[in-house]
Amino acid sequence: MNVIEVSGLIKRYKELVALDNFNLSIQAGEIFGLLGPNGSGKTTAINCILQLLTYDKGELRVLDQEISPTSYDIKRRIGIVPQNIAVFPQLNVTENIDYFCSLYISDKAKRRDLVEEAIHLVGLEDFRRFRPRKLSGGLIRRLNIACGIAHKPELIFFDEPTVAVDPQSRNAILEGIRRLNEQGSTVVYTSHYMEEVEQLCTRIMIMDHGQALATGTNMELKKLVGINERIEIELLEGLDAAPDPSQVATLTPPSPAFEHALELVRELPHTVTAKLDGNTLRVSCARSRSALNEILEVLNHSSITYGRVYSEPPTLNDVFLEITGKELRD
Ligand code: ADP
Ligand code: MG
């Protein structure tokens, strides 16, 4: 089933075009990631899809039906975890979740079970009677999530649910989202943290300036980039330097030998970029099996020895960099 189908969506805030002919198609069962820097239009897209914002142009279908601001039957099947925390300060954890759940479910006994399930899902068992102001930032985020998902919606939007949370809460949140998806919910997840999106999402859209720049699985997106590999090599010493490793650390780069080798590495056929960070040589390479060998040969010829060698596949940041010419900071 087509859970979300957006075509030609345009949203202006006065002069500013926040969504610029935006298209999006999401199938049932996906964890779909909207990845883009702050201000790229992620929240605006969600709010338009949910008819919480008016828009200038475009066609929207949600859960296989046209949606309007009064489509309560469709909205009942949707959950939203907003970017800005929306909980009541005077209600405790259980009461908050129960309140939001009561907007959809009137049967009290059924609700009690659902609230319990939501508490377990986000790991708030020890905080049932806590009011929000007694909770840490990460725990409030978890409460915000529990409030949005307790009624077991078919489609759930998570708008930057992990901003400024501690690693433990972040893991609990990502794990909870995976479980909701396994239980049958389709998930739309926005973030500017590329690593999260990479780990969590079945498909990813990279957006910027209100436009979809590229969409695909993590692997498909990475195939778009010319950079195939990042190589990091710890350079240890020049020709005459002492072999004692305890002295290696006290060498003060940039040594002329390193600088010279850097120039040679830059001229290699597969090098895209190369730089020296202290005594670490960082090289981005185009697709090739011989790239690493060629670099090591240059170092050998220059009589530079090396310690650790790391090689990493490209990141979504490389994809973003290649498409937009700028970094997507994580
Ligand atoms: P994101 O969620 O990706 O950070 P937003 O959808 O919040 O991006 O914002 C997209 C663009 O629209 C930004 O340039 C932002 O400044 C602008 N914008 C968002 N909300 C408003 C508003 N209520 N009035 C005017 N401009 C807005
Ligand atoms: Mg936002």
Side-chain angles (χ1 to χ4, degrees), residues 297-316:
E297 251 173 50
V298 164
L299 298 180
N300 289 334
H301 271 116
S302 311
S303 301
I304 293 174
T305 51
Y306 41 85
R308 272 166 292 198
V309 175
Y310 299 97
S311 163
E312 273 182 13
T315 64
L316 287 177

Side-chain angles (χ1 to χ4, degrees), residues 42-43 83 159-160:
K42 305 182 293 295
T43 299
Q83 182 169 0
D159 197 0
E160 310 234 22

Side-chain angles (χ1 to χ4, degrees), residues 1 3 26-32 154 181-182 184-187 202:
M1 178 175 69
V3 170
I26 298 179
Q27 302 294 311
E30 293 198 78
I31 303 183
F32 191 93
E154 284 165 62
N181 178 251
E182 282 163 16
S185 299
T186 303
V187 171
T202 52

Side-chain angles (χ1 to χ4, degrees), residues 214-225:
T215 308
T217 63
N218 188 16
M219 291 303 287
E220 285 166 351
L221 289 174
K222 285 177 180 173
K223 282 193 189 136
L224 295 175
V225 294

